[in-house]
């Protein structure tokens, strides 16, 4: 790879997935990994294998598919973590072990309780061990941006001597500002011997809204790998947004004079995929992939656009994969057109999944004239949850009136063949349906969040509900869709109940409580 190329290291499946509300199932992670590979990222950080057996399995499944990009796993500086990463990623032709240890005074004193020399010793030992297992080893001094500069240079030098092939500089708490980060990178370039032998990387969080700006400052100062996530998802305010940093490098090509290997026309579909999988909606005004990113409302702008699009448009929507026409499908659309659209939306479905989704599409097209992209995404996302039991919604009937409490009659089918039914009352139809579901399944929870979105346009659009509930000190998320919003809510609630029940079946010994990655939302 030339010096004029910036490597895109995607950590949606690790740092992004770690954020509350963003956890994904193995199947969903595989879908995202395939989309990332189509997008052209250079490295996929697929997870933190020591965090839980589920994380390990997911990293391994992604590595075993050998999608093309380097597959990387994160490890703390200890042999058990490093061995787990190696076992998980070794199925990929190109694989990487990423080890990290915190270096700032705050972290050394309060978190690690380690002296400066001990931290270096631990990093060096881990890098050496990782290098024995793998030729491609990345090292991150966590909280680098708040680490004493001279000491950071010492750590980075030691990491290079020990065999790290990429050294990543994280702004772990999103504290730095572009000019300061530029100085930090220039300082390292000047004071670390052999720094040009390795790839210098940057990893920014967005606590002050500067993750992209800080990453670009690092690139200008010599970083040639940017760590980022789709839609900028990640801990707290998130990570550097992949689509923003990539489009900044491309749109301001004459300024940066650097390339990435990203197929930018896959940005929008990949963003939609991650948003529909995680339930993290992209704000309308989000740069690059927000619904309004290319919408021109003000008359004066519209006039300018009609004269020449470059008056108010610095990028073409097509360049990020947003077709100007939201192609409409209807009941006469065939399997071919449907499959092509599904692919354009970023989904890779096998024949069975395509058939199942096509049947649902046909049913929906019978009910509503025009089927939009949002409806198709909702069908696909719903198909996954609708097939995971043990409970399935059989029927739902609700009554509401302005004078009396609402009532809901819910009938469910269990995978063992049992059918149950219950009528419950509540302040509104959703409350009544949720009451009935709790009684029928015996699963009690506290509703934390209920979000309703219209999947497309028009009064007959599919309603998409995402619920987050607490149960036994854990947070669970579920999603449901239907043209009837009470049914969509009930499906989302049932998905959560099914997740709780499936989790109860699994053995508690599965998770390693010592792993620091939070597994907050399931
Ligand atoms: O933010 C951070 O410091 C990290 C490291 C593990 C790279 O995510
Ligand atoms: Zn991070």
């Amino acid at each position: 790879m030339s010096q004029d190329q910036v490597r895109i290291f995607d950590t949606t499946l690790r740092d992004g997935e770690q954020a509350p509300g963003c956890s994904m199932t193995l199947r969903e992670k595989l879908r995202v990994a395939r989309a990332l590979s189509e997008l052209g990222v250079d490295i996929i950080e697929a997870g933190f294998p020591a965090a839980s057996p589920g994380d390990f399995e997911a990293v391994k499944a992604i590595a075993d598919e050998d999608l093309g990009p380097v597959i990387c796993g994160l490890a703390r500086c200890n042999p058990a973590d490093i061995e787990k990463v190696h076992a998980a990623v070794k199925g990929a032709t190109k694989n990487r072990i990423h080890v990290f240890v915190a270096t700032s005074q705050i972290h050394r004193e309060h978190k690690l309780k380690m002296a400066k020399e001990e931290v270096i010793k631990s990093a060096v030992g881990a890098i050496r061990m990782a290098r024995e297992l793998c030729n491609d080893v990345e090292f991150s001094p966590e909280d680098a941006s708040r680490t004493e500069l001279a000491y950071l240079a010492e750590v980075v030098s030691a990491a290079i001597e020990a065999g790290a092939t990429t050294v990543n500089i994280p702004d772990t708490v999103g504290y730095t500002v572009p000019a300061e980060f530029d100085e930090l990178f220039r300082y390292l370039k000047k004071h670390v011997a052999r720094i040009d032998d390795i790839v210098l990387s940057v990893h920014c969080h967005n606590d002050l809204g500067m993750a992209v700006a800080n990453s670009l400052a690092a690139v200008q100062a010599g970083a040639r790998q940017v760590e980022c996530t789709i839609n900028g998802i990640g801990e707290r305010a998130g990570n550097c947004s992949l689509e923003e940093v990539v489009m900044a490098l491309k749109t301001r090509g004459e300024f940066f004079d650097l390339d990435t290997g990203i197929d930018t026309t896959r940005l929008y579909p990949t963003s939609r995929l991650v948003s529909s999988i995680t339930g993290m909606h992209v704000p309308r005004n989000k740069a690059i992939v927000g619904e309004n990113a290319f919408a021109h409302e003000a008359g004066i702008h519209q006039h300018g656009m009609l004269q020449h699009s470059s008056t108010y448009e610095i990028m073409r929507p097509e360049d990020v994969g947003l077709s100007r026409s939201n192609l409409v499908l209807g009941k006469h659309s065939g399997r071919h057109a449907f499959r092509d659209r599904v692919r354009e939306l970023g989904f890779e479905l096998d024949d069975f999944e395509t058939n199942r989704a096509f049947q649902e599409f046909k049913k929906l097209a019978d009910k509503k004239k025009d089927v939009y992209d949002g409806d198709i995404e909702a069908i696909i996302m719903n198909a996954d949850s609708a097939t995971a039991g043990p409970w399935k919604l059989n029927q739902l009937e609700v009554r509401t009136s302005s004078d009396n409490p609402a009532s809901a009659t819910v009938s469910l089918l269990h995978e063992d063949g049992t059918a149950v039914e219950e009528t419950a009352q509540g302040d509104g139809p959703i409350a009544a349906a949720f009451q009935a579901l709790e009684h029928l399944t015996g699963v009690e929870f506290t509703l934390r969040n209920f979000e309703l979105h219209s999947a497309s346009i028009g009064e007959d659009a599919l309603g998409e509900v995402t619920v987050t509930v607490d149960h036994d000190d854990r947070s669970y998320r579920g999603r449901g869709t239907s043209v009837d919003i009470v049914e969509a809510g009930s499906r989302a609630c049932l998905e959560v109940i099914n997740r709780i029940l499936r989790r109860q079946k699994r053995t508690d010994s599965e998770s390693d409580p010592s792993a620091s990655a939070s597994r907050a939302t399931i």
Side-chain angles (χ1 to χ4, degrees), residues 11 14-15 170-172 203-205 227 235 239:
T11 184
R14 200 277 297 168
D15 225 351
D171 180 29
T172 303
H203 175 114
C204 292
H205 282 264
E227 303 202 351
E235 294 271 25
N239 286 57

Side-chain angles (χ1 to χ4, degrees), residues 26 43-44 59 77 103 134 168 188 202 204 206 213 215 317 346 354 389 406 456:
L26 189 146
I43 302 110
I44 295 176
V59 177
C77 286
T103 50
C134 181
N168 177 45
L188 292 179
V202 59
C204 292
N206 205 30
S215 302
T354 307
S456 65

Side-chain angles (χ1 to χ4, degrees), residues 98 100 148 270:
H98 178 188
F100 77 100
E148 305 89 316
T270 314

